[in-house]
Amino acid sequence: MKRDPWRLAYHLMPPDGWLNDPNGLCEANGVYHVYFQYAPNTPAPDGRMARTWGHYAGPDLINLSFKGVPFWPETLDRDGCYSGSALVEDDGTIDLYYTGNIKEAGDYDYIHDGRLSNTILVKTADGGRTYSDKHLLFGTPDYPKDCTRHVRDPKVWREDDQYYMVLGARMNDDSGAVLFYESLDGVSWRLLKIEKTGEPFGYMWECPDYFEMDGQPVLAFCPQGLEAEDFCFQNNHQSGYSLLSGDLRGKQMFGPFREWDMGFDFYAPQSFVDDRGRRIMIGWAGLPDKPYGNPTAQRGWENCLTVPRVLIKKGNRILQKPISGLKRLRKNPSRPDGEGRLTLPDASGDIEIAFADPASSWDIQMGEGVCLHYNGCIVRLALDEKTGCGRDERLARLDGVRNARLLVDRSILEIYLNDGETVFTTRYYADFETDRRLEMKFNCAGADIYAWEMQP
Ligand code: FRU
């Protein structure tokens, strides 16, 4: 695994084994914490052991180091310490809320029977070195009776002296929904309401997140079971947000659902506000029930997180912008030669492009197997058979492209168009048999292009 050329230079990946959702994102006492769904040793989600959490921490979101596993599956979470979030108390204590998954042995469908999800609280007073015992807050017998056994992924926050929690759920009529709870102390919780769209929008909503931007409530969630359409819902499960109208304590109406990311690999993002007041989101650059075999699995590890993205509201859209600190990793600036050629010697880089005319067409070739193309109305990200492991293309309709930022990192590519209005995240598996040189070719007449290599 250590010699694998697809290991990443500046994206968070598991030290070994399997990673999925980001969990427990927070800043406490000047330390940033990024927990994640983790199955150590085994590059499969339910391989040799049930999933638990892994922990990265550091003074900023660039210099993070792996701190180990905070807790392991026991009785309350026997079949997985599933996803959850962090709330930082005024005294700096971190409260971690998560789902303890239990699957009973037997002939169950695990939708209506045979599964329990416990909502659990663990506290750490010293920034993650020691953790309290697990405290069971409530569980399956306490959820509303019209929920199936799929209820999970608590996101917790505080407004004034009130605590709130949102959980994702699958209802008995096979519609996705979220459950809102409230509490005065973060320990005793009461159901506030169930929210869902007027018409069912998928059968299950995972990993919800709720926050306000410029006074407007936002519900982010991951609906499962949507039919693919021409320019949306192209992955097997989706991830996006709706702006809501109305107050949290009353009935809220859903605005249109917008996908966070148009690429092949994006799911289960979580956001938090740091001490500088930035709302920062990190996503899993992957998907559950993945429709393709990830070749890094044979090399002992699988999956990674996106870079942290600052969220900015513009009109009724939320823009995503890579955190500014990433620029500190830039080195060796360069520009494409007269023929538009540029080499990234270690397949890791950060590239900024300002297009001369937003309406003109262009294309960018990365190595043999990755092509990004714009024809004046549609952006097409195409992977060849080998580089894409059988995945072919992703499309987005765009009325002009003013600028692009490409974050290239060995086996992940993040593309930010129009200041982060449209984003594509994808893993790609170029042929790095002899070295990691990545040749790029820009056919972008008149564009201003600046590139940097990136330090690990
Ligand atoms: C989303 C998810 C969550 C669950 C976790 C388990 O990817 O399925 O709903 O808590 O992963 O790892």
Side-chain angles (χ1 to χ4, degrees):
M1 190 188 67
K2 293 271 187 286
R3 289 194 314 270
D4 179 3
W6 290 325
R7 293 285 282 174
L8 310 166
Y10 63 96
H11 281 78
L12 287 179
M13 56 187 168
D16 62 2
W18 167 274
L19 164 152
N20 57 295
D21 317 349
N23 291 156
L25 306 181
C26 63
E27 180 183 4
N29 309 310
V31 178
Y32 285 83
H33 299 271
V34 178
Y35 298 87
F36 61 93
Q37 284 288 285
Y38 182 35
N41 307 320
T42 162
D46 293 304
R48 266 187 283 160
M49 60 179 309
R51 258 164 286 184
T52 182
W53 286 28
H55 182 199
Y56 279 99
D60 53 37
L61 285 168
I62 309 297
N63 298 288
L64 294 162
S65 47
F66 184 64
K67 302 293 177 194
V69 170
F71 36 72
W72 298 92
E74 292 166 317
T75 41
L76 293 173
D77 44 18
R78 192 179 66 205
D79 298 298
C81 308
Y82 272 14
S83 281
S85 58
L87 183 139
V88 181
E89 298 282 358
D90 292 338
D91 67 1
T93 304
I94 304 175
D95 300 340
L96 299 172
Y97 292 87
Y98 71 93
T99 297
N101 181 47
I102 294 183
K103 278 182 166 175
E104 286 157 6
D107 187 17
Y108 295 113
D109 67 0
Y110 295 108
I111 299 171
H112 305 96
D113 238 331
R115 175 198 291 269
L116 299 171
S117 22
N118 292 318
T119 300
I120 297 169
L121 169 62
V122 168
K123 285 173 174 279
T124 173
D126 58 10
R129 282 181 298 281
T130 60
Y131 293 87
S132 72
D133 287 342
K134 296 170 185 170
H135 184 77
L136 173 62
L137 301 174
F138 53 94
T140 298
D142 309 307
Y143 299 128
K145 61 176 184 340
D146 36 354
C147 291
T148 65
R149 294 301 181 94
H150 284 274
V151 177
R152 57 178 168 267
D153 308 335
K155 176 76 199 280
V156 175
W157 72 101
R158 215 173 64 179
E159 277 175 35
D160 305 321
D161 285 334
Q162 182 87 16
Y163 294 73
Y164 293 98
M165 177 191 293
V166 60
L167 283 162
R170 174 176 186 156
M171 308 306 282
N172 276 326
D173 65 358
D174 264 347
S175 61
V178 282
L179 313 179
F180 284 95
Y181 284 77
E182 61 177 346
S183 167
L184 289 173
D185 57 7
V187 177
S188 328
W189 291 85
R190 189 184 81 87
L191 181 71
L192 177 62
K193 60 173 179 173
I194 303 177
E195 279 297 0
K196 50 188 198 160
T197 42
E199 290 293 313
F201 190 66
Y203 58 76
M204 168 73 193
W205 293 358
E206 291 192 313
C207 298
D209 196 352
Y210 182 94
F211 48 89
E212 283 191 2
M213 297 210 82
D214 301 341
Q216 170 116 43
V218 181
L219 182 71
F221 57 103
C222 295
Q224 302 192 323
L226 300 179
E227 289 284 322
E229 294 173 19
D230 276 351
F231 294 97
C232 53
F233 311 150
Q234 298 166 86
N235 289 333
N236 59 332
H237 302 307
Q238 320 306 326
S239 171
Y241 64 92
S242 284
L243 302 184
L244 305 181
S245 53
D247 186 48
L248 173 59
R249 302 194 62 83
K251 171 84 195 135
Q252 292 176 300
M253 302 300 286
F254 287 70
F257 181 79
R258 295 190 198 284
E259 291 178 77
W260 287 119
D261 198 291
M262 303 309 290
F264 290 95
D265 298 284
F266 187 86
Y267 199 70
Q270 186 176 101
S271 75
F272 74 108
V273 177
D274 74 353
D275 291 353
R276 287 160 61 182
R278 303 179 292 184
R279 177 152 301 269
I280 300 170
M281 182 173 88
I282 299 179
W284 170 26
L287 280 161
D289 318 314
K290 214 187 331 264
Y292 75 102
N294 185 327
T296 68
Q298 298 144 25
R299 300 170 179 202
W301 68 287
E302 204 167 343
N303 298 322
C304 66
L305 301 179
T306 66
V307 298
R309 303 171 175 181
V310 175
L311 301 183
I312 298 156
K313 186 162 173 293
K314 188 177 157 209
N316 52 16
R317 289 180 178 274
I318 300 176
L319 310 188
Q320 302 168 61
K321 197 172 175 221
I323 48 158
S324 54
L326 273 176
K327 293 187 177 169
R328 298 205 310 265
L329 298 180
R330 289 173 168 180
K331 61 173 189 189
N332 299 343
S334 68
R335 307 190 65 176
D337 68 15
E339 284 171 359
R341 292 182 196 285
L342 179 104
T343 302
L344 293 176
D346 199 25
S348 103
D350 183 353
I351 298 164
E352 287 190 8
I353 308 169
F355 295 101
D357 172 6
S360 62
S361 37
W362 45 261
D363 64 79
I364 300 167
Q365 185 73 36
M366 254 179 67
E368 301 276 294
V370 184
C371 182
L372 187 66
H373 174 79
Y374 182 58
N375 67 1
C377 66
I378 293 161
V379 174
R380 174 169 180 262
L381 168 66
L383 304 179
D384 76 6
E385 172 74 23
K386 194 155 177 245
T387 313
C389 301
R391 301 165 305 157
D392 52 2
E393 61 175 21
R394 285 291 178 266
L395 306 170
R397 215 195 291 259
L398 249 82
D399 199 12
V401 181
R402 300 184 308 276
N403 55 55
R405 174 126 179 237
L406 311 181
L407 296 178
V408 183
D409 189 4
R410 291 164 185 181
S411 61
I412 185 173
L413 169 63
E414 296 188 43
I415 302 162
Y416 297 79
L417 302 173
N418 290 343
D419 304 307
E421 208 171 283
T422 301
V423 183
F424 288 80
T425 299
T426 198
R427 301 295 305 279
Y428 70 100
Y429 304 94
D431 189 357
F432 292 138
E433 282 304 307
T434 44
D435 60 34
R436 267 199 294 237
R437 281 168 72 84
L438 192 66
E439 310 286 353
M440 302 189 68
K441 173 90 171 61
F442 296 83
N443 293 315
C444 312
D448 246 336
I449 305 176
Y450 293 90
W452 294 264
E453 292 167 33
M454 293 288 269
Q455 302 168 51

